[in-house]
Structure formats: C-alpha cells, structure tokens
C-alpha cells in the first residue's frame, strides 16, 4: 500500500465520514496544551485540531467500561449471549494507547480458553485512527518500554496519520481504513512528504531519548524486574509517598485488573457487575478472615511493577503491560515517578537513589 | 452481524438440597445443579450466593461429571457467614467453573501419595482422596495424615474407617492439644511426619490447610529430604474471576486460579510471600 497524502480539508472530510459511519470519539488537540478524549459532534468537526501528543485520558473506557453489567441471574438466561458489535471509531490516539488496547486483546480476546464476550463485542466494532506524536510530555517514556512515539504497519491501526506540512501522511492499515479514505481526496504522497515524516519521528524519538537518559538502565526494565525476588529498597523508598488513591491504575492504558460484584436488582433478580479495581488498594487481595498476602504498601507497589514488567511479559511473549505513556507520573499525588523506581531497582543504598518524592515533572508547554 | 458467545461470568443455577453440620464452624452444603458439571480432583468452583457475592471453593464430593455437588465450608467471612446463617434447603445459588488445573494424578502413578490436611483443609482433600480411590491400584500407596484442633473439629469422621480399609491406604490423625477421651497422637499435623515410613524419593505430597500449616508442613518435608517439585500445596489467595484475568491471586507469575490452586512448591518457592 503506497503512502497517501491527505490535506487539512481532506481530514475534515474523513472525520465527517467517520461521524456518519458510527459513533465517533476523538482526542481533541484544541484544549490548551493538553489534548482530551471526547465524543465528537458534527459542529465540532470544523474546528477540530489534531493532537500533538497523547490525550490526558486513556481510551480504555471505550473497550473496558469502568463499570458494566456482565450477567443477570438466576434463570440461566445469560449463559450464552448474543454479541452485536457496535460501530465505533476512535480518532487521534497515540501509539501508547494503541499498545494498551493490544495489551487487553491478549488477555480478553486472544485467550485460547476464556474469551470475554463483552470485550470482544466492543473491540470488534472498533475503528482506530492513530496519530504520530509531534511532541512529548516530560513524563513520556515509551522509548524505555518497547514503545515509540509513532505507529508502524502491523501495530493494529486502521489508519495512521503523521502531521506533515499543510496536511497528513496517511498509512492504511486495513481494508476498512482504505474504504473510509475514499472520497477524501487522498493522493499519493511525494518523497519529500515521506522524508518529512521520517524527520518528525526522528525528532520526537531523540527528544524522548534525551529526557529519559537519566532513567535508562543497562538491562531492560523487564529484565530488571523479572530478576528481582526479595523486595528491593527502591520500592520502599519510592513507594513511601503513595497515598493509596489508585490514580496510577485508573489512568493507566495497560491496567486491566477488575473486580466482580453482585447487586440485588429487585424482583428476585440479581445482577453481576464488573468494575475497574486497583491493586494499590488494600482490599484488592484481601481474603476471607482478613488474610492479606499484600498487606503493606510496598508489597502492593512491588506487585504493580511485577505485573507490568514480569508477570505479563512472562505470559505474553515478552510484552510489558506498561506502554510508557507517563500518565501515572502526571497523576500521582505522591509524585512517584515510575522511571525513577525502576532505575533504582538495583541500587542498594538509598543515598544513591533518585529523590523521593520525585521532582514534579514540568507541565507541557501551552499550544498545540 | 451477531454471534453467540459463552458468558464466562455467568453462574449456572443450582439449588441447595441439604445442609449437614460437620462441626461447630463447618457445614457441608449439598447442591443440585441445573446442568452437569465436570471437574477433576483439585479443581475449584465459584459459588454465588445471590446478591451477596461469589467465593471460591474446592468441592468436597467425588470428582467426575454430575449434577450433584457438595461443598464443605468453614464460617470465616462475608459469604461464608451468610451461607452458615441463612442458606437452607430449597434456596437458589449459582455455580461457575470448574477452574484450575487440579492435581496432576498422572505424575503420581506408581508412586506413594502422601495426603496432609489440616482443619477445613480436609474438605478439598476429600475430593482428592476420592479421586485417588477411583484408581487406587495406580498408586503404590496412599498415606493420609489429618490434623485438627480438637476431635470435634474433624469433618467426615464417619468415613475415616472406610478410607483406612482401602487397599494400601493408611490414615493417621492428630489433634493440636490434649483432649478428654482422646488417646491418639497430640500435636500439630507435622508430628505425623516425624516417623514417616515412606520412600521419600518415590513419594508425592498433596496438602491443604491454612497458610501457617502449609508453611510448616513444607519446611518439615524439605527437612526430611523431599524434592520441592514433589510437593503440591493447595494455595490460599483471593480468587475472583477464576480464569487468570483479574490478577489478584498470583504467586510470582503464576495464577493460583488458572495454574493451581494446587501449586507445585518447586515452581513457586522463589517468589515472595508464598505463605502470605
């Protein structure tokens, strides 16, 4: 598939087509400095601005809602359920969010034995348009966790856009993407436009490498975390400012741990709810009789890192369940920086570690 | 475009047909399921108490395929308190499962199997013992060691004689502290391992009980020279989904719900907090 060039007017056309095609969500860059996830409206298409970096919110709520009903009983009614995928599009997500969806896919969709029908229903009808990052937040660290500020063919998008001079370079990922591009005036891209894309990608990658140089380790984070058995001092040092709010897991595009609760729905019916849960809360692993194998904060703190960089890659071909989006760093009330925690894993003395709490990361500059 | 898919969160209907009081804190609930459930020894199910919630239990009835299911339950938390206090014959419940791998009986063929249980740990052990009895000639010997706090805390006492009479099977009991009228061994269950008369190289152990018991049984066995890979422990963790997705029951990278709940000690021994 050749690369295509799409003008700014062509983009409005594409958005209109997507809006008519199904339910459209987008990451809107017109908020000051910080792109936000929102539901698209017809009127807003004219003033929509593509985001220069990832949105503030992860897009996971579109595939795993914070709370959803998964069964109603008794009566054996919901044992086999009809799934009818709804047409939904998300426009303008960054690679870190697409990688998050891939993390969920392995668990909920591609499991050979237990497939989550509710996830499959949402995922099947999902049309994904990704956008290369033109900038990076100071908290972004995708380059340290097998990520990158752009998408490559095979990553799973339907369309990928790269902002280039006066328009976009489009890579088509699926036949559905090709279909939607028809009538938008997309034309074959020239070599100079493709060169422009490569230049942008190199620029953002270089910026990420520069800002994360102080956190880089000789071994990969996965190797480091997987080799640790006893609780390292780093988890106690950096975890000491944790206030157990659960923000890090809620904003994480790769966190999927959930809880199952039953409610009385009245009239002798009961409903089963699946909700987001957080491993940072004490009740997460508490058993009957108040036994809790992860009673201390440091144990739960270590558990989160272990899940992301040891348990998940151990089970799923070496992929971490962290995408390096940096949202946990931005949103931590205790100013805990994941990169600092991981960098200090093999550091024995607290004096040699990075400070805790971590220095507040700078706000991104205003503008697009 | 629509298709039918199995709902992995749905409990199938079941009805309580009988409740048997085993001890002051343990009851056996007998259920009639609306469709047959097939489980292997060691596998567990999620029992739904309508409106209260789910809790994981290993059935105490004979493994196989049946619409009858028994679960022996200690009163210890929200769901189990409700079961003990309010559930009576005729009440509806739900069952989801079975989950987990169960015991690797194939590995035990031709070997001695040492069964060590404590307290309500006898409940899942009963399914294991029934499972062993189904092909008793496959094993060299089955040696059962049970411990409880007092003689009144043993469940299934009326079956002990039948078990001890099975071919190449022996059963030994102990209680934690002296008790009027008790003439048998006194001490925690590890005392029954003191004078073990089995070929240690050729023996597999399955064990179930509270964390503290599992810990000391394991230490004792290792002390005696057992291979950690010959020890299968029925681990205690909070299990919610049952199929390795909600990630609360892990020990190291293993999910107790999916890869257990009877974990090979050799596989988990290097991870933190194995015994809580």
């Amino acid at each position: 598939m050749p690369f295509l060039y799409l003008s700014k007017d062509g983009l409005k056309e594409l958005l209109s087509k997507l809006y008519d095609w199904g339910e459209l969500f987008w990451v809107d860059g017109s908020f000051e400095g910080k792109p936000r996830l929102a539901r698209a409206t017809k009127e807003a298409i004219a003033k929509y601005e593509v985001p220069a970096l990832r949105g503030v919110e992860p897009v996971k709520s579109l595939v795993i809602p914070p709370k959803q009903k998964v069964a109603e009983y008794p009566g054996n009614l919901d044992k086999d359920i009809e799934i009818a995928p709804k047409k939904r599009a998300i426009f303008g997500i960054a690679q870190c969010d697409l990688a998050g969806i891939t993390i969920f896919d392995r668990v909920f969709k591609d499991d050979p034995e237990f497939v989550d029908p509710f996830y499959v229903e949402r995922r099947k009808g999902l049309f994904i348009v990704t956008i290369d990052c033109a900038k990076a937040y100071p908290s972004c660290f995708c380059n340290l966790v097998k990520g990158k500020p752009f998408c490559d063919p095979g990553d799973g998008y339907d369309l990928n856009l790269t902002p280039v001079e006066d328009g976009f370079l489009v890579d088509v990922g699926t036949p559905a993407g090709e279909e939607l591009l028809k009538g938008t005036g997309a034309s074959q891209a020239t070599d100079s436009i493709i060169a422009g894309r490569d230049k942008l990608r190199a620029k953002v990658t270089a910026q990420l490498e520069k800002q994360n140089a102080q956190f880089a380790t000789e071994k990969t984070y996965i190797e480091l975390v997987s080799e640790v058995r006893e609780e390292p001092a780093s988890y106690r040092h950096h975890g000491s400012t944790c206030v157990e709010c659960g923000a890090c897991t809620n904003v994480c595009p790769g966190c999927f741990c959930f809880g199952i609760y039953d409610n009385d729905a009245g009239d002798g019916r009961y409903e089963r709810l699946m909700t987001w849960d957080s491993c940072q809360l004490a009740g997460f692993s508490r058993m009957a009789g108040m036994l809790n194998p992860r009673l201390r904060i440091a144990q739960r703190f270590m558990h989160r890192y272990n899940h992301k960089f040891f348990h998940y890659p151990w089970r799923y071909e070496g992929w971490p369940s962290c995408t390096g989006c940096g949202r946990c760093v931005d949103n931590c009330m205790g100013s805990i920086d994941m990169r600092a925690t991981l960098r200090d894993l093999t550091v024995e003395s607290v004096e040699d570690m990075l400070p805790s709490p971590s220095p507040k990361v700078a706000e991104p500059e205003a503008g697009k | 475009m629509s298709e039918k898919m199995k709902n992995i969160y749905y409990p199938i209907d079941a009805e309580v047909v009988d409740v048997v009081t085993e001890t002051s804190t343990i009851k056996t609930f007998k259920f009639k399921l609306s469709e047959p459930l097939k489980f292997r020894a060691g596998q567990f199910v999620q029992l739904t108490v309508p409106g209260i919630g789910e809790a994981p239990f290993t059935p105490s009835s004979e493994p196989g395929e049946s619409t009858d299911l028994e679960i022996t339950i200690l009163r210890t938390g929200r769901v189990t308190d409700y079961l003990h206090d309010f559930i009576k014959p005729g009440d509806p419940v739900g069952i989801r499962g079975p989950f987990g791998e169960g015991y690797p009986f194939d590995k035990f063929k031709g070997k001695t199997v040492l069964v060590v249980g404590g307290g309500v740990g006898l409940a899942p052990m009963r399914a294991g013992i029934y499972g062993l009895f189904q092909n008793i000639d496959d094993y060299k010997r089955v040696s059962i060691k049970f411990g409880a706090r007092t003689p009144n805390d043993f469940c299934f006492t009326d079956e002990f004689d039948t078990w001890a009479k099975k071919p190449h099977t022996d059963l030994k009991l102990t209680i934690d502290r002296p008790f009027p009228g008790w003439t048998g061994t006194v001490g925690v269950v590890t005392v029954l391992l003191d004078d073990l008369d089995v070929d240690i190289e050729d023996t597999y152990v399955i064990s179930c009980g509270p964390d503290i018991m599992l810990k000391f049984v394991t230490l004792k066995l290792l002390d005696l020279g057992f291979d950690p890979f010959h020890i299968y422990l029925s681990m205690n963790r909070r299990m919610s989904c049952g199929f390795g997705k909600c990630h609360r029951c892990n020990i190291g990278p293993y999910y107790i719900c999916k890869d257990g709940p009877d974990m090979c000690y050799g596989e988990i021994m290097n991870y933190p907090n194995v015994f809580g």
Side-chain angles (χ1 to χ4, degrees), chain A residues 70 72 75-76 78-79 81-83 107 114 116 124 229 258 272 277 283-284 286 294 303 311 315, chain B residues 2-3 5 7 9-10 13 34-35 48 51 54 76 238 243 245 247-248 250 252-253 255 259 270:
Chain A
V70 290
E72 195 176 318
N76 286 349
D78 288 346
K79 209 186 139 208
I81 52 163
E82 195 99 5
I83 62 162
V107 178
F114 296 100
D116 183 327
K124 261 195 175 170
R229 288 293 173 269
F258 58 88
R272 175 154 295 170
D277 204 344
F284 184 74
R286 186 173 57 219
R294 290 190 283 271
H303 173 72
H311 307 161
R315 212 167 267 274
Chain B
S2 74
E3 55 177 306
M5 278 187 80
N7 185 356
Y9 303 101
Y10 190 76
D13 288 345
S34 60
E35 56 185 79
T48 299
E54 276 190 323
T76 182
R238 176 156 178 195
F243 32 71
K245 298 200 195 304
H247 206 81
R248 47 190 84 219
N250 70 299
Y255 290 122
D259 308 316
N270 291 325

Side-chain angles (χ1 to χ4, degrees), chain A residues 101 103-112 114-116 119-121 123-124, chain B residues 5 245:
Chain A
I101 293 175
I103 287 169
F104 300 156
D105 280 354
R106 297 188 194 105
V107 178
F108 294 99
K109 183 165 76 73
D110 303 333
D111 186 305
F114 296 100
V115 181
D116 183 327
Y119 182 83
V120 172
E121 185 174 42
R123 182 68 178 91
K124 261 195 175 170
Chain B
M5 278 187 80
K245 298 200 195 304

Side-chain angles (χ1 to χ4, degrees), chain B residues 27-276:
Chain B
K27 284 181 179 176
T28 295
F29 296 81
K30 298 185 178 179
F31 305 105
K32 191 78 183 172
L33 277 53
S34 60
E35 56 185 79
L37 181 91
K38 188 178 181 182
F39 75 99
R40 298 189 298 273
Q43 283 190 305
F44 73 98
V45 297
Q46 286 281 4
L47 172 65
T48 299
V49 181
I52 303 297
E54 276 190 323
F57 298 102
T58 302
S60 53
S61 52
E62 182 162 359
E65 191 169 1
S66 170
T67 54
D68 295 314
L69 190 76
E70 285 178 29
I71 302 179
T72 304
I73 296 168
L74 172 77
R75 170 200 278 275
T76 182
R78 191 167 50 93
V79 174
T80 53
D81 275 353
Y82 191 89
L83 278 159
H84 272 254
D85 289 339
F86 301 109
I87 292 292
K88 54 189 186 308
D91 285 347
V93 292
I95 300 279
R96 205 158 57 86
F99 300 117
E101 282 293 319
Y103 292 115
F105 280 166
D106 283 349
K107 276 191 189 164
F108 301 169
K109 280 187 180 158
K111 315 275 185 192
T112 299
V113 184
L114 181 63
V115 182
V116 186
V120 78
L122 271 63
M125 295 271 77
R126 181 162 81 150
I129 288 167
Y130 284 155
L132 290 169
F133 287 166
Q134 282 172 345
N135 300 299
I136 186 74
D137 294 329
D138 281 357
Y139 316 105
K140 198 158 102 189
R141 202 183 132 190
V142 174
S143 182
I144 306 169
K145 319 279 185 197
F146 278 170
R149 282 182 190 159
T150 72
N152 300 332
D153 289 318
F154 282 108
C155 31
F156 321 126
T157 41
D158 51 341
E159 296 181 30
F160 286 174
D161 282 345
T162 333
W163 295 358
K165 281 182 194 136
K166 292 275 178 183
H168 43 263
T169 300
D170 62 276
L171 172 77
K172 275 191 186 154
L173 304 176
T174 179
I175 58 167
D176 287 1
R177 282 179 290 274
F179 195 85
W182 178 265
T183 53
T185 316
V186 174
V188 289
V189 74
T190 46
V191 301
L192 296 178
L193 305 175
D194 279 337
D195 48 356
L196 211 54
D197 56 343
V198 297
D199 178 3
I200 285 169
E201 300 264 296
D202 222 19
T203 302
Y204 277 87
V205 186
I206 59 175
S207 185
C208 183
D211 274 344
I212 190 80
M213 186 209 97
L214 292 177
K215 179 177 178 175
F216 285 100
V217 164
T218 307
L219 292 175
K220 181 88 193 174
L221 292 169
L222 295 176
D223 213 26
L224 291 169
F226 274 87
D227 181 348
F229 287 89
H230 281 207
I231 304 173
Y232 284 83
L233 305 173
S234 186
M235 297 308 300
N236 305 306
R237 281 293 186 275
R238 176 156 178 195
M239 295 184 274
S240 185
C241 69
F243 32 71
K245 298 200 195 304
C246 76
H247 206 81
R248 47 190 84 219
C249 65
N250 70 299
I251 292 181
Y254 296 99
Y255 290 122
I256 300 308
C257 67
K258 200 175 182 182
D259 308 316
D262 310 287
M263 295 299 299
C264 173
Y265 181 67
E267 282 176 8
I268 57 172
M269 62 183 179
N270 291 325
Y271 300 112
N273 296 328
V274 169
F275 298 109

